[in-house]
Amino acid sequence: MRLVLLGPPGSGKGTQAARLKEYLQVPHISTGDLLRAEVAAGSPLGMQAKEVMARGDLVSDEILLGMLESRFSRADTANGFILDGYPRNQAQADALGVLLQKMGKPMDYAVQLEVPTELLVERIAGRAAAEGRADDTPESVRTRLKVYDSQTAPVIDYYRQHGQLTVVNGVGSLDEVFSRLVEALSPAKEVG
Ligand code: ADP
């Protein structure tokens, strides 16, 4: 199954994707994780991305598309994937559509995890204390939420217009949200 998870920072995409990966037996592709790995490795790409990420802005579409293309070319994506953190703007949504069409592998599902903003801020503050991510400073969080509203939220309409959108309530315990996701995806899971 090819699935894209949509939702603001702090909506739980990463956590739920890690669980869904076991359930669906397909890899979890997080563009944030891919970028953080580049930063940690000190690669030229990572060095370019580091400051942009710390600010909470978007890394260039070109870098992201190259990274994604190379990730999709790996054999473990043959039976599908869970995409988390991409697309983050309309240009990326278009690029993804073209890329998947070229591979003859259209997206099956776009799932939006819906969480109210007050709760997002609270969750990210909790994560900042626990994990110390470089971009979980209050200023960066504000920027990421702003970027989400202006650039990423419109992508949700794009998938809705294509009849691919499923909305899942992201408020509740990890288990509750996971059960809702499984339920939302169950018809596809049965089909395989
Ligand atoms: P979160 O959703 O919690 O903000 P992510 O781990 O998905 O965190 O992304 C962290 C940062 O990595 C983003 O703020 C951005 O700078 C960069 N990034 C991740 N995915 C993309 C993308 N598709 N396009 C541009 N930048 C991205």
Side-chain angles (χ1 to χ4, degrees):
M1 182 195 300
R2 289 177 295 278
L3 166 74
V4 58
L5 270 184
L6 303 163
S11 59
K13 295 189 304 288
T15 313
Q16 295 297 339
R19 293 186 168 202
L20 279 175
K21 161 188 158 164
E22 302 303 324
Y23 176 72
L24 298 170
Q25 292 291 305
V26 294
H28 168 205
I29 303 179
S30 155
T31 51
D33 286 351
L34 291 176
L35 285 167
R36 280 185 286 275
E38 296 285 344
V39 172
S43 71
L45 191 159
M47 279 157 44
Q48 224 177 312
K50 189 175 176 177
E51 270 188 37
V52 182
M53 292 174 72
R55 274 205 312 271
D57 283 322
L58 295 186
V59 175
S60 85
D61 291 347
E62 200 186 336
I63 288 184
L64 264 293
L65 186 61
M67 236 173 48
L68 208 58
E69 255 178 308
S70 114
R71 184 63 187 83
F72 283 157
S73 71
R74 283 172 50 188
D76 65 345
T77 60
N79 292 326
F81 52 78
I82 300 160
L83 189 54
D84 157 20
Y86 193 100
R88 258 179 155 89
N89 60 29
Q90 188 60 52
Q92 293 185 3
D94 291 336
L96 178 65
V98 170
L99 182 60
L100 292 178
Q101 201 176 12
K102 227 168 38 185
M103 301 191 308
K105 294 181 165 180
M107 197 62 81
D108 297 308
Y109 269 94
V111 177
Q112 176 196 1
L113 270 180
E114 207 174 34
V115 176
T117 310
E118 315 82 70
L119 193 55
L120 298 174
V121 175
E122 203 177 293
R123 282 186 185 178
I124 299 173
R127 183 172 76 185
E131 295 175 17
R133 235 172 73 169
D135 62 349
D136 277 346
T137 62
E139 211 180 302
S140 169
V141 169
R142 262 197 303 277
T143 303
R144 276 151 61 208
L145 290 173
K146 232 189 271 169
V147 168
Y148 181 83
D149 278 340
S150 63
Q151 302 200 49
T152 312
V155 170
I156 288 174
D157 291 326
Y158 170 91
Y159 287 108
R160 185 179 291 119
Q161 278 158 20
H162 284 73
Q164 288 178 311
L165 187 73
T166 305
V167 181
V168 169
N169 176 7
V171 181
S173 70
L174 294 181
D175 285 343
E176 278 165 351
V177 176
F178 182 68
S179 307
R180 288 180 202 137
L181 281 167
V182 166
E183 202 174 326
L185 298 173
S186 55
K189 167 92 175 166
E190 278 161 28
V191 175

